[in-house]
Amino acid sequence: MPRLLGVDIPNDKQIQYSLTYLYGVGLYTAREVCEKLKIDPTRPASDLAEDEVSRLAAMLERDYTVEGPLRRQLSTNIARLREIKSYRGLRHRMSLPVRGQRTKTNARTRKGPRKTVAGKKGVKDLR
């Protein structure tokens, strides 16, 4: 199992799909990197030689923001939004959807499980 930037990439998959296991590398970027390094993207990752693995790691480290630095960059961006108290920062702080989605229904992923509120009096009780 080749190890790139601290992540084990699967042996049995093609290189182009194995590279997508790295945070910040999608299929397009994976194919682009393989093309630049003249590596066949359809080869299994187990067929990578040590020099190819090191060239891949060096290029990803040099030309792309991936893994740790990308996670750090995203967290500092969110921290900045919170600090300046922008609308998006407040939504992040309250764990609500940030990009304008509705919250009356849905939004369960951000809001968490439903919290049941004590029932209101029914119409019959008002008579």
Side-chain angles (χ1 to χ4, degrees):
M1 204 176 259
R3 192 163 177 82
L4 280 173
L5 306 174
V7 176
D8 290 330
I9 60 173
N11 268 335
D12 52 337
K13 297 182 185 238
Q14 295 178 8
I15 297 168
Q16 60 185 348
Y17 299 118
S18 292
L19 288 176
T20 62
Y21 280 64
L22 297 168
Y23 186 76
V25 177
L27 192 56
Y28 180 84
T29 308
R31 288 178 179 161
E32 192 176 62
V33 168
C34 288
E35 185 180 312
K36 285 180 183 175
L37 295 176
K38 297 192 174 37
I39 296 173
D40 179 25
T42 59
R43 277 177 35 203
S46 58
D47 290 354
L48 282 175
E50 281 301 316
D51 67 315
E52 291 175 325
V53 172
S54 60
R55 285 190 309 157
L56 272 170
M59 174 174 244
L60 287 169
E61 192 84 38
R62 185 182 65 238
D63 297 342
Y64 298 94
T65 310
V66 291
E67 279 303 320
L70 180 59
R71 291 179 201 269
R72 215 172 359 270
Q73 182 181 2
L74 290 177
S75 66
T76 55
N77 289 345
I78 292 172
R80 181 183 54 83
L81 290 171
R82 286 179 173 187
E83 187 179 308
I84 64 175
K85 294 193 171 112
S86 69
Y87 179 76
R88 282 173 52 207
L90 295 175
R91 302 295 284 183
H92 274 292
R93 181 173 287 153
M94 293 188 293
S95 296
L96 290 171
V98 177
R99 297 183 179 181
Q101 298 92 329
R102 67 179 297 137
T103 57
K104 184 173 181 177
T105 59
N106 306 331
R108 283 288 126 208
T109 302
R110 285 299 301 235
K111 291 169 75 174
R114 297 179 192 274
K115 301 166 203 80
T116 308
V117 179
K120 297 179 183 177
K121 290 185 178 179
V123 178
K124 295 178 183 176
D125 296 338
L126 295 176
R127 293 186 185 164

